[in-house]
Amino acid sequence: MFRKLIALTAGIIAMLTAATASAEPTKVGFVYLTTPGDHGWTYAHELGRQMVEKHFGNNVVTTYVENVPEGPDATRVIRELAQQGNEIIFTTSFGYMDPTLKVAKEFPNVKFEHMTGYKRTPNMATGNIRFYEGRYVQGVVAGMMTKSNKIGYIGAYPISEVIMGINAFAQGLRSTNPDASISVIWANTWYDPVKEADAAKVHIAEGADILAQHTDSPAMLQIAQKNGALGFGQSTNMEAFAPDAQLFASINNWGPYYIERIEALRNGSWSTGDGPDHWAGNTWGGLASDMLVLSEFKNMPADVAAAARDAMEGIRSGKIKIFAGPLKDNTGKEVIGAGEELDDGALWGMNYYLQGVNGKIPG
Amino acid sequence: MTALILTVLATSIPLLLAANGELIAERSGVLNLGVEGMMLMGAVAALGMVLYTGNPYTGIIAGALAGMAVSLIFAFFAVTLLTNQVATGLALTIFATGFSGLAGAPLVGKTSESLPRIIIPFLSDLPGVGEILFAQDLLFYLAFLIIAGTSWFLRKTRSGMILRAVGDNHDSAHALGYSVARVRWMAVAFGGLCAGMGGAYIPLVLTPHWSEGMTAGRGWIALALVVFASWMPSRVIIGALIFGGITIMQLAGQARGWAIPSQVLSMLPYLATIIALVLISMRGRSSYLTVPACIGKPFHPGS
């Protein structure tokens, strides 16, 4: 009797576990720097996560933790996500690099993907977007739209990713308007709407009529809208905040990348890849791979929109090489000669402004 | 130049209001470190109300009431239950940061009309100062009125003297028959009201949208301003203008290509605050007269 009961119970348990095992969804974790309510960087990742949920349906369960400060707190959060049984964890800010690395070594069976970093292990991959490609197109448009020939640029931190964006903008700008130049205000923050608004007001007071930003809130565009200036959205489409001021936005499209990586995990083909051994790690897609998408070109005449579309297609097809020589920095020193092109490593080492940008990089 | 001065003023208003409110709370002997949280509640309530009613003025009221509402939570714990004020204030900020995020979730991605400018005829045409002083939004005028009122209240009214007495020596005030708890409840509530209005200024005027944590540490700067002002309302104006002025100056300096590292420039406002604190403490005894002696000390009526 007893034995029968035990056997029966064991049988039921076995059946149940088998049943659940076959339908076991893949658990995916995300770590966010701020909240999706920032409208910018983190919101773009959140849209990507939502695409993952939609694509996989019940086959994937996603979890995200928001407002995770970079540093020891991040290590704790990432470790917890690993302990909860997440099979792949996306950490979505540069400052999570070392915490992710640390936890990756503790959990060799869990896969980690760090956004915008460069350190890798056999179970930690890296991914990034060629944001600067969109900024080149912004420069093309700015050059044709500016009347004052003064472009106001709000930078977050003077690091290579932001600097290569400014330089790509300058290359685009000079391709359509060699007389225009860029002034940069460093906000020294990724996100502070009031300060971003202040910087935008100052740019306008100093005569800029086109604004560009490498900070995350829509504040700059709202100020542009109020003051009759024009500008570009960052990370996500910010048109709702400035319907008459946003020319277009460079949109970070993480969804397809997340889906591809989770797919690879599920069918066992996930690897850190043998991709190009550049600073940005094994995935660094741009316009050509749709990781960077430009929103509709608006608030500009048809010929400017056509030029923008040409620039976009030129980058997609590889016809336009943004950092092809001859290149001079803004002191007139040659960076590379004709016939050469800056490679990815050189982009990540950028610590100078190209021609078309005023002033010096601080620090 | 006018544009830059207008920017300085606009940047200063949230600090001005929040610091003025905190000043009253501190003069009554209560240190409320929850200013950042109260500002966030004010900001989210203001934008929510404007989007709901379509009238930007309702945002001012909603922001003020929301700031006051959370300050009353603080008052209940810190004044009535006599909890540690520092810990309670910090907890209030953490709570209000989270709660404002939750309450603001439906507002994400929405934008509203800003408070309209009230242009005073003739005066606003004055060369130079006209546009700066007489073509601002209602909350701007209100902020300066509130500060003038606060200054008058503290110096000239009987109630103001009672408030100061409670902050300077709650035992004596109690012995004279004044209700320490009641005075402190009201002072904390006023502080919340002002902080809420200060927070409301951000989505109502500066950047008309809601995003989590959008006050970005301005509540903490307001707290420092109270010390900077050595608990005098008129000096709060000076402090806020210096802070706003340096903030804008460093941005303008960068736009003009001044060869000063931007990190140094970003540091300046905080540096100015520290220098002011040092100067105040160096002036010696006279300044101690304005420090409320009972600040941060819970009052036990029985003892």
Side-chain angles (χ1 to χ4, degrees), chain B residues 180-200:
Chain B
V180 173
R182 214 180 81 192
V183 170
R184 289 188 173 168
W185 264 84
M186 289 196 289
V188 168
F190 179 76
L193 193 96
C194 287
M197 277 193 193

Side-chain angles (χ1 to χ4, degrees), chain A residues 91-307:
Chain A
T91 56
T92 66
S93 185
F94 181 78
Y96 297 148
M97 183 162 65
D98 288 328
T100 309
L101 191 72
K102 200 172 164 196
V103 182
K105 285 177 181 161
E106 292 170 19
F107 292 85
N109 296 324
V110 178
K111 309 287 185 249
F112 297 84
E113 299 243 359
H114 176 242
M115 298 307 116
T116 75
Y118 53 86
K119 291 185 185 168
R120 274 164 284 166
T121 67
N123 63 327
M124 174 181 170
T126 53
N128 205 346
I129 297 179
R130 293 180 186 271
F131 308 107
Y132 68 86
E133 293 182 348
R135 297 185 189 279
Y136 178 89
V137 184
Q138 294 181 5
V140 167
V141 171
M144 297 175 82
M145 295 298 290
T146 180
K147 293 189 182 80
S148 65
N149 281 347
K150 285 183 177 174
I151 314 299
Y153 204 106
I154 304 173
Y157 293 97
I159 56 172
S160 48
E161 184 187 307
V162 183
I163 294 166
M164 80 174 88
I166 294 169
N167 284 336
F169 191 107
Q171 288 292 94
L173 181 70
R174 281 167 47 79
S175 76
T176 54
N177 185 346
D179 298 327
S181 66
I182 302 166
S183 287
V184 184
I185 290 180
W186 294 99
N188 288 310
T189 174
W190 289 111
Y191 178 78
D192 178 343
V194 175
K195 198 168 185 186
E196 293 167 42
D198 283 345
K201 285 183 205 165
V202 168
H203 269 315
I204 292 169
E206 295 292 310
D209 58 354
I210 312 273
L211 304 178
Q213 64 180 342
H214 205 131
T215 43
D216 282 344
S217 87
M220 180 200 85
L221 280 171
Q222 291 188 314
I223 298 300
Q225 169 93 14
K226 248 191 216 172
N227 292 280
L230 298 164
F232 304 96
Q234 161 89 348
S235 298
T236 57
N237 193 349
M238 295 176 171
E239 195 186 343
F241 296 98
D244 309 317
Q246 181 181 289
L247 294 157
F248 71 88
S250 297
I251 298 168
N252 307 343
N253 187 26
W254 296 102
Y257 166 71
Y258 287 155
I259 290 168
E260 188 193 312
R261 302 298 287 173
I262 295 167
E263 202 75 77
L265 176 83
R266 286 169 61 86
N267 66 28
S269 67
W270 189 93
S271 78
T272 55
D274 50 3
D277 189 22
H278 51 58
W279 273 66
N282 44 311
T283 305
W284 199 18
L287 289 169
S289 57
D290 283 332
M291 281 183 79
L292 187 70
V293 178
L294 306 185
S295 73
E296 208 182 323
F297 302 117
K298 283 194 169 167
N299 299 318
M300 62 181 91
D303 63 320
V304 182

Side-chain angles (χ1 to χ4, degrees), chain A residues 35-39 43 66-67 158 183-188 191-195 197-199 201-203 205-206 217-219 222-223 226 240-242 358-360 362-363, chain B residues 3-4 6-7 10-11 107-112 114 202 205-216 218 247-248 250-252 254-257 259-263 266:
Chain A
T35 67
D38 73 351
H39 310 294
Y43 184 52
E66 56 184 32
N67 270 327
S183 287
V184 184
I185 290 180
W186 294 99
N188 288 310
Y191 178 78
D192 178 343
V194 175
K195 198 168 185 186
D198 283 345
K201 285 183 205 165
V202 168
H203 269 315
E206 295 292 310
S217 87
Q222 291 188 314
I223 298 300
K226 248 191 216 172
F241 296 98
N358 299 329
K360 267 164 58 175
Chain B
L4 288 181
L6 287 172
T7 308
T11 302
L107 309 179
V108 165
K110 297 193 172 117
T111 180
S112 73
S114 300
I202 295 172
V205 179
L206 298 180
T207 70
H209 72 270
W210 163 254
S211 39
E212 287 197 44
M214 76 187 306
T215 50
R218 280 167 185 78
T247 304
I248 300 306
Q250 68 99 349
L251 297 174
Q254 290 192 50
R256 290 175 184 190
I260 307 170
S262 68
Q263 292 90 338
S266 292

Side-chain angles (χ1 to χ4, degrees), chain B:
Chain B
M1 196 60 203
T2 306
L4 288 181
I5 294 172
L6 287 172
T7 308
V8 170
L9 285 169
T11 302
S12 310
I13 296 291
L15 300 173
L16 212 64
L17 279 164
N20 185 64
E22 176 66 13
L23 186 143
I24 283 293
E26 292 190 14
R27 282 308 272 278
S28 83
V30 183
L31 179 67
N32 183 358
L33 294 183
V35 181
E36 179 83 358
M38 299 188 294
M39 286 179 83
L40 278 171
M41 287 301 293
V44 74
L47 188 72
M49 186 57 99
V50 174
L51 287 172
Y52 182 71
T53 63
N55 178 347
Y57 290 110
T58 57
I60 301 177
I61 299 163
L65 291 180
M68 193 167 85
V70 272
S71 78
L72 294 181
I73 302 175
F74 174 86
F76 176 69
F77 283 100
V79 179
T80 301
L81 300 182
L82 305 175
T83 56
N84 179 300
Q85 293 179 6
V86 171
T88 311
L90 291 174
L92 183 71
T93 287
I94 296 166
F95 163 75
T97 305
F99 187 76
S100 64
L102 185 71
L107 309 179
V108 165
K110 297 193 172 117
T111 180
S112 73
E113 287 293 307
S114 300
L115 271 185
R117 282 179 157 213
I118 298 166
I119 292 159
I120 299 170
F122 307 118
L123 286 177
S124 59
D125 296 331
L126 288 173
V129 293
E131 201 192 338
I132 293 167
L133 294 180
F134 302 108
Q136 297 281 0
D137 51 86
L138 178 68
L139 205 42
F140 176 95
Y141 299 124
L142 217 55
F144 285 96
L145 275 178
I146 289 172
I147 289 174
T150 307
S151 185
W152 170 79
F153 169 81
L154 278 177
R155 282 192 296 171
K156 302 279 183 204
T157 68
R158 190 179 152 76
S159 312
M161 277 175 220
I162 295 171
L163 180 104
R164 280 157 50 197
V166 167
D168 281 330
N169 192 333
H170 49 213
D171 293 316
S172 305
H174 178 66
L176 287 171
Y178 298 118
S179 168
V180 173
R182 214 180 81 192
V183 170
R184 289 188 173 168
W185 264 84
M186 289 196 289
V188 168
F190 179 76
L193 193 96
C194 287
M197 277 193 193
Y201 199 74
I202 295 172
L204 289 182
V205 179
L206 298 180
T207 70
H209 72 270
W210 163 254
S211 39
E212 287 197 44
M214 76 187 306
T215 50
R218 280 167 185 78
W220 301 107
I221 294 165
L223 277 162
L225 274 179
V226 178
V227 186
F228 177 100
S230 49
W231 293 270
M232 312 271 261
S234 54
R235 292 190 194 163
V236 164
I237 299 181
I238 299 169
L241 288 179
I242 290 178
F243 191 90
I246 293 177
T247 304
I248 300 306
M249 193 191 80
Q250 68 99 349
L251 297 174
Q254 290 192 50
R256 290 175 184 190
W258 292 353
I260 307 170
S262 68
Q263 292 90 338
V264 171
L265 293 168
S266 292
M267 203 166 72
L268 277 179
Y270 303 93
L271 211 61
T273 308
I274 294 170
I275 291 171
L277 293 180
V278 171
L279 288 177
I280 288 164
S281 58
M282 268 169 51
R283 271 202 337 234
R285 257 216 203 128
S286 62
S287 68
Y288 283 106
L289 293 176
T290 57
V291 183
C294 287
I295 194 162
K297 291 181 194 156
F299 174 67
H300 301 266
S303 60

